[in-house]
Amino acid sequence: MNLLPDHGVVYATVLLAHVARISPRTGVDEWVAAARQHGSHLATATDLRTPAQSLIAAGLATVDEKGTVRLGRPLAVLAASGDARRAMQHAAVTLLIAQPPSWLRVAVGSECVERAYIPQPDLNALSWLGESLDEVLVEARRLVGARQEADLAKEIGDVAEEFVVSALKAAGQKPVHVARISDAYGYDVELSEAPVRFLEVKAAGPQTADRFHLSRNEFDMCVRRGDAWRIVQVVFDAGAFIANPITTADVREIRELSASAVRGLVPGDTPAFRWESSALLTPSASLWRPSDLTPDPGFLHRGFGSKDAADD
């Protein structure tokens, strides 16, 4: 079951947690029956069995060797809450953490929510939270942790690289996707016959296209290779982060930044300053140039976070 915390699922979660806390329940049938008995008239019109089974499947509740339903710590905490409104909000956060929707890591930052990245049906389902929606989403995103963010950044970067490689092949060139071999090259794609032979690919969404991270190794390669090295930025539309598959239509823009422009953004090392791992660069819009790359109309890639679709 999808544990997206719409009102019905959250109501069922709070009710099930409450009855499991006040008295041990043996098996799902008894658990659900107790919830119907203790619930309001809304309980009779709410599917309680599916949420009960899903809470167990998600590890939020367990059934021990005697068949007794045991609450996991998050559900035990919300069951003990004396504030019904806060219990509902806590349940929503708990469900988002247990089964994060694919858009959570894209749409929600440390302090803000980009609702354009959230599918409208999901926004509608969450509308019962009212003014608390952003607070709940930000809290869930924080608790999910930075690991998802790092995973997503790599996933977006990989798709951008594949997009550039596909465009080069469609143009009759023979690119080598060296990033698949090692991250140590200092660039992602290499060409054997071109004025610009070393391409460092950066991916972005509409809200992050003004900046990118550059590793020290990438900068050193920029200096070493000179004008033969270049940054190619692939800017995805907001819809790309929930699309499956991702196609050429999901790319808003391809643009480039020359090696000389990059060198001009990075201060030189001094006895008092040296950056060693990476830096966040924010070039002015005037430094970017439209790319000559023509997207491959046949480009197709599984969606971000998708586990069941294969690359084309």
Side-chain angles (χ1 to χ4, degrees), residues 150-276:
D151 289 346
L152 176 64
K154 184 180 187 310
E155 197 173 350
I156 295 173
D158 289 346
V159 176
E161 291 170 18
E162 295 287 352
F163 182 83
V164 170
V165 168
S166 177
L168 290 167
K169 287 181 177 179
Q173 300 193 57
K174 298 179 179 180
V176 179
H177 194 172
V178 298
R180 284 192 165 183
I181 303 170
S182 172
D183 292 331
Y185 279 87
Y187 52 91
D188 299 310
V189 180
E190 183 173 344
L191 298 168
S192 57
E193 297 180 6
V196 179
R197 296 179 50 214
F198 309 101
L199 306 180
E200 171 59 30
V201 181
K202 299 296 183 184
Q207 306 299 321
T208 60
D210 62 333
R211 55 195 181 274
F212 61 87
H213 282 90
L214 188 75
S215 73
R216 177 73 199 207
N217 183 45
E218 291 163 357
F219 178 68
D220 288 344
M221 191 57 61
C222 165
V223 173
R224 186 176 308 145
R225 299 296 187 179
D227 291 338
W229 183 98
R230 186 164 298 176
I231 282 179
V232 178
Q233 186 187 57
V234 179
V235 183
F236 292 99
D237 275 322
F241 298 96
I242 56 174
N244 188 25
I246 297 169
T247 70
T248 293
D250 294 305
V251 175
R252 173 178 295 190
E253 183 181 10
I254 316 170
R255 57 185 189 171
E256 300 181 355
L257 198 65
S258 68
S260 60
V262 172
R263 292 195 299 271
L265 292 168
V266 178
D269 291 337
T270 70
F273 170 81
R274 174 185 173 86
W275 63 281
E276 295 185 347

Side-chain angles (χ1 to χ4, degrees), residues 104-123:
L104 183 67
R105 56 186 180 174
V106 177
V108 184
S110 60
E111 297 181 357
C112 63
V113 176
E114 294 290 346
R115 298 195 180 194
Y117 293 173
I118 304 176
Q120 191 59 48
D122 288 3
L123 269 179

Side-chain angles (χ1 to χ4, degrees), residues 90-111:
H90 180 81
V93 172
T94 299
L95 296 177
L96 286 167
I97 296 169
Q99 195 179 90
S102 59
W103 47 259
L104 183 67
R105 56 186 180 174
V106 177
V108 184
S110 60
E111 297 181 357

Side-chain angles (χ1 to χ4, degrees), residues 2-15 17 55 60 74-75 78-79 84-101 103-104 125-130 132-141 143-144:
N2 181 0
L3 284 177
L4 184 75
D6 64 29
H7 189 269
V9 170
V10 170
Y11 170 75
T13 298
V14 173
L15 181 57
L55 293 174
L60 293 172
L75 292 190
L78 75 87
R85 183 182 66 84
R86 288 301 300 166
M88 292 283 284
Q89 290 186 13
H90 180 81
V93 172
T94 299
L95 296 177
L96 286 167
I97 296 169
Q99 195 179 90
W103 47 259
L104 183 67
L126 297 170
S127 63
W128 66 273
L129 285 160
S132 301
L133 175 57
D134 284 10
E135 176 188 348
V136 166
L137 293 178
V138 168
E139 180 68 3
R141 182 65 183 87
L143 294 173
V144 164

